[in-house]
Amino acid sequence: MLPPLERIRTDLHRTTEALADAVAHDGATATPEWDEGTWRIAAAVAVAHGVAPLLADRSSWPSRRWQAFLSAQRDHVASRQGRIATLLSRLDALARERGLPMMALKGSALHALGLYVAGERPMADIDLLVRPGDVEAAAALLRVLGYEESFRQWKHGVFKPVGARPFAGFGEHRDTPVNIELHTCIQERLPVRTVDVTASVWPRDATPGMCPYPSLGALMTHLLLHAAGNVCGRSLRLLHLHDIAQLAQRMPEAEWSVLWHGKEAPWWAYSPLRRVERHWPGRVPRAVLDRLRRECPIGLRRAADRQTLVRVSCSDLWLQRLPGIEWVRSPTDMATLLMQRIRPSRESRQERADMVRTQVWLQGQAWVRQGHLRRVMTALTRPVPRMDTLYVVRGAWDA
């Protein structure tokens, strides 16, 4: 039986901060004096933030159960990474054969650069970027590899292995199907305006097969926009910050200029970099951080300066009434955000239906089956826990 929600909330806060310090200091932190329940919450946080395998060779905390959990997570991730590497190789060969340029994004690119070794960084899926005119050819290629389209949303199409069933256990598992997300652009809604950085990310001299990012700066631009979207949606992971910190350590200062290659200043980049600076001071060049702070809207800047990792991630147990409100840039955007909250668009309703149908953590939950207005009224009158957070906490409790 789970402990009271307030106890879970308190333990989520304290364990998230402790794990963030451990990751930032390569595990060289004092062993926390936690009871058994808090250690279980710590395992849930490690899974939710994607850092359990990263800590396996770093955490010196002498809890036998903790060390066994981390080691098992590393082994599962290493096994799954081998499958992903094989699949990427097949994708590359088929794309070359068919004259199709494509890019493997984010985690795949970070592994290719050697920023992680096998078993350190989990990957939920493979993200691919193709030109808009090549999306049907890319879909046909994926079908040859035994994939079928499961659903589409505004950012990408999701392809899953035919006949595969999702793994419903706790944490990373070697048998979890490797899904593929097919993108034709790199964009985020922050929270209603769309920011698109595809022009900075797609290589001008793309050739058939898997193309790398044109520069480290292009990869950093993508990581920062992705992290910004997650901050806005209150789903940032400690792993996102670690990715940025690792890449920043390798990047020449001149490459940061790619951030300013778009049509507008990268006002959205300050918030995630402020979180990186909080845990890895000095990784981001001071001149870059200062310039981004000046270009960041004042409301968002103030929020970024005071928010914690807990506040912008699933470690904050309660649903927030208007997540991302500090990212709004005009009265018109504010009105749009409020209207979307009161009356979701058809697209939003379809996306929610697809999530309920395909995501294990949402299935069987009474909350998601309630009508929209009832959910809104409930959230306005009492604290409502996040379903994704409770799902992983229950998993840790039952493990």
Side-chain angles (χ1 to χ4, degrees), residues 76-220:
H76 279 292
V77 169
S79 176
R80 195 162 183 270
Q81 184 59 38
R83 292 168 55 206
I84 290 173
T86 299
L87 181 54
L88 284 170
S89 179
R90 295 180 65 194
L91 282 165
D92 180 42
L94 272 175
R96 290 175 186 273
E97 179 184 306
R98 298 180 176 217
L100 178 65
M102 56 173 53
M103 289 179 63
L105 304 172
K106 295 184 302 183
S108 298
L110 293 168
H111 275 103
L113 286 172
L115 267 66
Y116 294 98
V117 300
E120 278 190 327
R121 187 191 188 280
M123 286 176 57
D125 44 45
I126 294 174
D127 289 87
L128 298 177
L129 177 65
V130 298
R131 296 173 300 201
D134 290 336
V135 67
E136 293 304 325
L141 184 153
L142 296 181
R143 287 193 289 270
V144 169
L145 292 175
Y147 278 76
E148 62 182 355
E149 188 169 21
S150 176
F151 64 94
R152 291 191 184 190
Q153 54 172 234
W154 71 279
K155 286 174 62 175
H156 54 249
V158 177
F159 289 76
K160 298 186 176 184
V162 175
R165 294 186 177 183
F167 172 71
F170 175 63
E172 303 294 331
H173 196 279
R174 57 175 51 86
D175 294 333
T176 302
V178 179
N179 296 335
I180 295 176
E181 294 184 355
L182 188 61
H183 302 251
T184 58
C185 54
I186 304 300
Q187 58 184 2
E188 295 287 345
R189 288 176 181 163
L190 303 173
V192 295
R193 292 195 192 187
T194 299
V195 175
D196 190 313
V197 297
T198 312
S200 298
V201 171
W202 184 260
R204 294 181 179 179
D205 55 350
T207 56
M210 286 295 179
C211 304
Y213 283 82
S215 66
L216 296 182
L219 174 55
M220 178 62 79

Side-chain angles (χ1 to χ4, degrees), residues 18-19 22 27 29-32 34 39 42 59-64 66-67:
L19 289 180
T29 55
T31 303
W34 293 335
W39 280 106
S59 176
S60 58
W61 299 347
S63 165
R64 289 186 179 180
W66 176 252
Q67 293 297 336

Side-chain angles (χ1 to χ4, degrees), residues 256-335:
W256 288 90
S257 65
V258 177
L259 278 170
W260 285 270
H261 286 182
K263 295 180 180 179
E264 63 175 356
W267 57 273
W268 38 267
Y270 177 69
S271 184
L273 282 178
R274 184 68 179 84
R275 300 273 59 75
V276 172
E277 179 66 14
R278 158 69 175 80
H279 296 287
W280 287 271
R283 287 288 177 93
V284 184
R286 175 51 57 181
V288 171
L289 199 63
D290 288 346
R291 180 179 177 183
L292 289 171
R293 191 174 192 278
R294 290 193 300 270
E295 295 172 346
C296 186
I298 187 169
L300 179 57
R301 181 197 317 160
R302 289 173 175 172
D305 287 341
R306 69 173 183 268
Q307 285 174 332
T308 63
L309 174 60
V310 169
R311 181 64 176 169
V312 296
S313 73
C314 68
S315 292
D316 195 2
L317 180 61
W318 305 128
L319 283 175
Q320 296 176 31
R321 294 184 178 95
L322 281 175
I325 190 171
E326 68 274 15
W327 290 75
V328 170
R329 303 189 67 194
S330 73
T332 300
D333 289 349
M334 175 64 78

